Amino acid sequence: MQTPQLSSDITTDITLTLCSAVLLSTFLRYFKIPPILIYLLTGIIIGPTGVALVSDSESIHVIAEFGIVFLLFTLGLAFSPPKLLSIKRLVFGLGSIQVGVCFLLFFSVTIAYGLSTLSAILCAIVLALSSTAIVSKELTHLHLLKSRTGQISIGILLFQDLAAVLVLSLLPLWTANQQITAFDQLMILIIRVMILIKAGTFMACAMMMGRWILPALFTQIAHSRSQELFILTALTVAVASALITQRVGLSMSLGAFIAGMLLGESHYRHQIEADIRPFRDVLLGLFFISVGMLMDLNILQQYWFRILFFTLCMLLIKTLVVTVAVMVFKESKHNAIETGILLAQGGEFGFVLLALGAYYDLIPLDVVSFTLAIIIFSMMISSIMIRHCSTLTAWVARTIPGFKEALVIPLNTIKTITSTPHDHVMILGYGRIGQTIGRFLTRENIPFIAIDDDTRRVHDAITAGEPVIYGNATQYTLLEQAGLANAKLLIISFDDLEAALAITRQIRIHNTTLNVLVRTRDTSNLDELMRAGVSEVIPEILEASLMLVSQVLLNCKVSSKRVETLLSETRRAHYQQLHAFYQGDEVQSNTDYLKPKPCLHPIVIPENSYWIGQPLENIQKSLPHISVAGIKRLAQQHPMTPSETIQLEAHDTRILQGLSEHIERAEIELTAHTPPYSTT
């Protein structure tokens, strides 16, 4: 029996695509280029008009479309029906205004540029849409998906997706082929009406399944305690719902979103999202690579100035339209500007609409290539704009008259604080740790102001009368408005190294005396934080160890004064005694591998070692990357603290401290019977 195999060409294309993505990502991430931009560049380079590594980009695109399916599925998990109903005003009100105004503006421009009416209509619709994939991914990455800006953006994107689905359904009726008779058009219209009926039936069935069947199904799967079965079920639900909506004439992504939305109220949604995420991220990367492959470098070379000009015009127009539309809906100017920046780019639905437009002879092929280039360029530029959204928002607020209030973070939370106190404590991050600090400060009548970017948490805290401000703590202007100049202490309570470094560096430019305390998980980045200007680093894990040590010593009848002295010495030495540990066989996380930590390792010195009789200082000179944490001799029960003059004896157990690769080298040298680097 012959074993079925994938086409060798497809296998080769996928392998080359993945290898190229890995190599370019590894290299370009050193320059802090956004991942989406890296994927787009990868597609451009290996695409048909680049070095042409991939022979069949269409096959890659078909597989990569599942990245959009899983993205919309996980996005649906964050927007259950009650949450969706709560933003229906944003979806249908704000979404329709944005699409309608952008369509009219782009239609006018394309008509003036000389396109036919049908071509201009299609191009205007394409340019009015934004990228659900880019915006959703960046909002998730920046932890802004549940913010007010995130809700507004997702509401507009949902309307855009619905509008795109409607246009996809009507495209055959717009065909410029004159051979289609009125009767044929009537039949097509009847077919489309049937599709809408099927879609309504699907929605009704999906609602019933989401309410009764899916929760029961996942409950039974969870009881089996099989992780593989749970992941398989989640994948099946996402893909099956996408397939069903495709069969009834709607988009796959819409079906996946509906399935995720129906599971949004389930208490399994967090586990489902965690299981889907690896598949989503890999396939979404492939999707953006396949988008990059669509770029025609010949068109780019010939019309690069026009493409860049029209791209910048589109980004500016959409930013302005969205900003004004959001302000019309009485949202804050800060949220309006951020939403405008988020939705400035073209969308992935544009690729589908342009491809079908060319298929139905609605739009010339050269216009298709030109418009594709504009969309891809807008995606590339927008991914950078979104990463610097806060900076751009602040620049707009300072530059354009009448937008100064956009420097104030929304929700009017600053107004809830009647007056800015003096000699107060600022807490950045009001999660579990921040709230604990706040409660103790309140008990001691010490004034404080907290800043957090979780809208629900801020709302609940304000309702309870606590001095909390909503906003992004990395914005120095916000810190100033919250009374940074009068603060006596600033605490960064969330565990985010990049944010902590950015905040500290901005503060040190203007204030060199303010005490800045940073909470971290461990001391792996202690030196970097101290160089940035942090006054004290509080490592969560090591402080927990010290608390446990203090209780052990107190229970062993060690005096409380002695315990306090030992803990103080350890803290003053920046936890030096606690930095290393015996590794064992525990599994390290990915971040542990990226940031190697020092460990302890005992080595027994053999009788023929070259180093017997040598003082410790000679060993340290030869092995500068390791240190000797202790020495245990046969007659001793516990290791002793070494001195530089102590000499090595046979059968000594040296406890070495350092990185594992340095310890391996040290073990080889300390057990060798020849001098280091000897050629004998």
Side-chain angles (χ1 to χ4, degrees):
M1 181 178 177
Q2 187 176 1
T3 304
Q5 294 181 344
L6 285 172
S7 166
S8 59
D9 290 338
I10 296 177
T11 306
T12 303
D13 288 344
I14 293 175
T15 304
L16 290 173
T17 301
L18 293 175
C19 290
S20 302
V22 169
L23 292 174
L24 282 173
S25 296
T26 303
F27 175 70
L28 294 177
R29 279 182 185 271
Y30 285 106
F31 302 98
K32 296 185 177 179
I33 297 176
I36 293 174
L37 186 54
I38 294 175
Y39 294 138
L40 289 170
L41 289 173
T42 302
I44 293 171
I45 293 171
I46 69 176
T49 58
V51 296
L53 276 180
V54 176
S55 59
D56 185 10
S57 59
E58 184 61 30
S59 299
I60 301 292
H61 188 74
V62 170
I63 297 173
E65 279 188 359
F66 283 99
I68 301 295
V69 169
F70 291 138
L71 173 68
L72 267 294
F73 181 71
T74 54
L75 187 63
L77 291 172
F79 285 88
S80 59
K83 292 179 183 177
L84 189 62
L85 289 174
S86 68
I87 62 169
K88 61 181 182 295
R89 175 172 168 267
L90 299 177
V91 176
F92 298 103
L94 190 51
S96 60
I97 290 176
Q98 182 272 323
V99 172
V101 174
C102 285
F103 169 78
L104 291 175
L105 290 174
F106 291 131
F107 177 75
S108 303
V109 172
T110 49
I111 282 289
Y113 198 67
L115 293 184
S116 66
T117 303
L118 288 176
S119 297
I121 290 174
L122 188 57
C123 282
I125 292 172
V126 166
L127 296 175
L129 303 177
S130 303
S131 174
T132 303
I134 288 180
V135 176
S136 302
K137 187 172 177 63
E138 293 299 332
L139 284 173
T140 303
H141 176 80
L142 298 172
H143 307 290
L144 294 174
L145 191 60
K146 295 182 180 179
S147 67
R148 185 59 179 172
T149 300
Q151 290 182 335
I152 297 170
S153 302
I154 295 301
I156 296 174
L157 287 169
L158 288 177
F159 182 85
Q160 290 183 2
D161 290 346
L162 293 172
V165 170
L166 179 62
V167 174
L168 285 172
S169 301
L170 296 176
L171 266 183
L173 298 178
W174 296 351
T175 179
N177 189 343
Q178 300 300 322
Q179 295 179 356
I180 292 184
T181 64
F183 177 77
D184 292 331
Q185 291 189 4
L186 178 61
M187 293 303 297
I188 292 174
L189 180 60
I190 292 173
I191 292 172
R192 294 301 169 184
V193 171
M194 294 298 295
I195 288 175
L196 292 177
I197 294 173
K198 289 180 182 178
T201 305
F202 167 74
M203 286 292 294
C205 294
M207 293 296 289
M208 288 188 291
M209 288 187 65
R211 181 157 188 167
W212 293 295
I213 299 177
L214 288 181
L217 173 63
F218 276 100
T219 299
Q220 292 300 318
I221 298 299
H223 286 165
S224 70
R225 297 188 179 276
S226 171
Q227 185 179 10
E228 294 82 0
L229 186 56
F230 194 91
I231 295 174
L232 182 61
T233 306
L235 292 174
T236 302
V237 170
V239 175
S241 58
L243 178 62
I244 292 172
T245 51
Q246 185 189 46
R247 294 293 188 191
V248 299
L250 301 175
S251 69
M252 294 174 65
S253 55
L254 182 62
F257 178 81
I258 292 171
M261 185 179 66
L262 296 175
L263 288 168
E265 287 295 298
S266 167
H267 55 278
Y268 299 113
R269 70 182 183 89
H270 297 292
Q271 184 61 51
I272 294 172
E273 183 178 1
D275 291 337
I276 289 285
R277 187 181 296 121
F279 302 94
R280 179 197 69 189
D281 291 344
V282 172
L283 291 172
L284 203 57
L286 279 178
F287 172 78
F288 285 114
I289 292 173
S290 68
V291 168
M293 292 178 186
L294 297 174
M295 174 76 82
D296 190 336
L297 293 181
N298 297 321
I299 293 288
L300 179 61
Q301 185 178 6
Q302 188 174 359
Y303 300 107
W304 68 269
F305 182 78
R306 292 185 190 179
I307 291 171
L308 184 59
F309 174 75
F310 281 111
T311 300
L312 294 176
C313 287
M314 186 190 78
L315 291 170
L316 180 60
I317 290 172
K318 292 182 74 172
T319 300
L320 288 174
V321 169
V322 174
T323 300
V324 173
V326 174
M327 288 170 55
V328 167
F329 270 65
K330 298 182 180 180
E331 297 287 342
S332 71
K333 291 182 179 179
H334 183 277
N335 283 341
I337 297 171
E338 281 195 339
T339 307
I341 293 171
L342 282 168
L343 302 179
Q345 74 292 119
E348 54 276 347
F349 267 120
F351 304 125
V352 181
L353 291 172
L354 288 172
L356 289 176
Y359 176 78
Y360 289 119
D361 295 326
L362 290 172
I363 185 169
L365 290 177
D366 58 337
V367 177
V368 170
S369 298
F370 191 85
T371 310
L372 280 174
I374 291 175
I375 295 175
I376 293 173
F377 259 64
S378 72
M379 286 180 166
M380 296 169 68
I381 297 173
S382 177
S383 62
I384 299 174
M385 290 171 58
I386 294 173
R387 290 297 176 96
H388 297 87
C389 188
S390 299
T391 304
L392 289 173
T393 301
W395 178 83
V396 171
R398 287 192 296 265
T399 306
I400 301 178
F403 274 85
K404 277 192 175 180
E405 66 183 81
L407 287 170
V408 181
I409 302 301
L411 296 185
N412 296 322
T413 52
I414 292 179
K415 295 180 181 178
T416 62
I417 302 171
T418 54
S419 62
T420 302
H422 288 265
D423 294 330
H424 62 287
V425 176
M426 293 189 68
I427 304 173
L428 308 187
Y430 206 57
R432 187 184 299 271
I433 293 176
Q435 291 174 42
T436 301
I437 296 171
R439 285 164 191 159
F440 276 88
L441 292 175
T442 301
R443 288 180 60 180
E444 298 301 316
N445 294 319
I446 299 174
F448 74 92
I449 293 176
I451 300 176
D452 198 273
D453 60 359
D454 187 305
T455 54
R456 181 176 179 181
R457 182 184 298 152
V458 170
H459 179 270
D460 291 346
I462 292 173
T463 303
E466 299 189 23
V468 185
I469 294 172
Y470 170 83
N472 184 351
T474 60
Q475 290 182 305
Y476 186 76
T477 51
L478 172 64
L479 300 182
E480 285 184 317
Q481 291 173 357
L484 179 65
N486 299 322
K488 65 179 179 181
L489 176 65
L490 183 138
I491 303 169
I492 303 176
S493 70
F494 49 80
D495 185 16
D496 187 331
L497 174 65
E498 295 301 324
L501 290 172
I503 292 168
T504 305
R505 286 165 182 161
Q506 288 186 68
I507 290 173
R508 289 306 179 217
I509 293 174
H510 307 278
N511 190 328
T512 58
T513 60
L514 178 67
N515 284 331
V516 178
L517 272 61
V518 176
R519 165 243 175 172
T520 62
R521 186 173 180 273
D522 51 38
T523 57
S524 57
N525 302 108
L526 186 145
D527 292 337
E528 189 175 3
L529 287 165
M530 299 300 288
R531 285 195 300 270
V534 172
S535 307
E536 292 291 340
V537 177
I538 313 299
E540 187 177 326
I541 293 177
L542 301 188
E543 276 298 321
S545 301
L546 290 182
M547 289 300 98
L548 183 59
V549 166
S550 67
Q551 292 301 313
V552 170
L553 294 177
L554 289 172
N555 278 276
C556 292
K557 308 303 181 184
V558 178
S559 68
S560 58
K561 186 176 181 180
R562 173 61 178 165
V563 171
E564 186 60 36
T565 301
L566 292 172
L567 298 186
S568 298
E569 289 176 354
T570 302
R571 292 188 179 104
R572 281 198 300 271
H574 297 298
Y575 308 91
Q576 193 65 40
Q577 299 176 31
L578 307 179
H579 281 190
F581 57 94
Y582 299 109
Q583 294 280 42
D585 291 325
E586 65 180 278
V587 179
Q588 290 180 304
S589 66
N590 292 334
T591 54
D592 289 335
Y593 285 117
L594 293 174
K595 299 177 182 178
K597 298 177 182 178
C599 59
L600 297 176
H601 182 65
I603 296 176
V604 179
I605 307 301
E607 293 180 353
N608 60 349
S609 171
Y610 165 80
W611 293 101
I612 290 178
Q614 296 277 350
L616 178 62
E617 59 181 348
N618 290 354
I619 299 176
Q620 293 285 185
K621 289 177 183 178
S622 180
L623 302 169
H625 297 297
I626 62 103
S627 60
V628 179
I631 298 176
K632 179 182 177 300
R633 292 189 164 154
L634 291 176
Q636 296 173 331
Q637 188 175 1
H638 301 290
M640 61 181 175
T641 302
S643 64
E644 291 188 354
T645 57
I646 192 170
Q647 295 182 347
L648 195 66
E649 296 180 3
H651 306 296
D652 275 355
T653 299
R654 292 278 165 127
I655 304 172
L656 304 183
Q657 176 177 332
L659 299 180
S660 57
E661 60 266 29
H662 298 148
I663 287 180
E664 288 176 6
R665 178 193 158 199
E667 184 170 13
I668 293 172
E669 292 201 10
L670 289 175
T671 56
H673 64 278
T674 56
Y677 308 111
S678 173
T679 57
T680 59

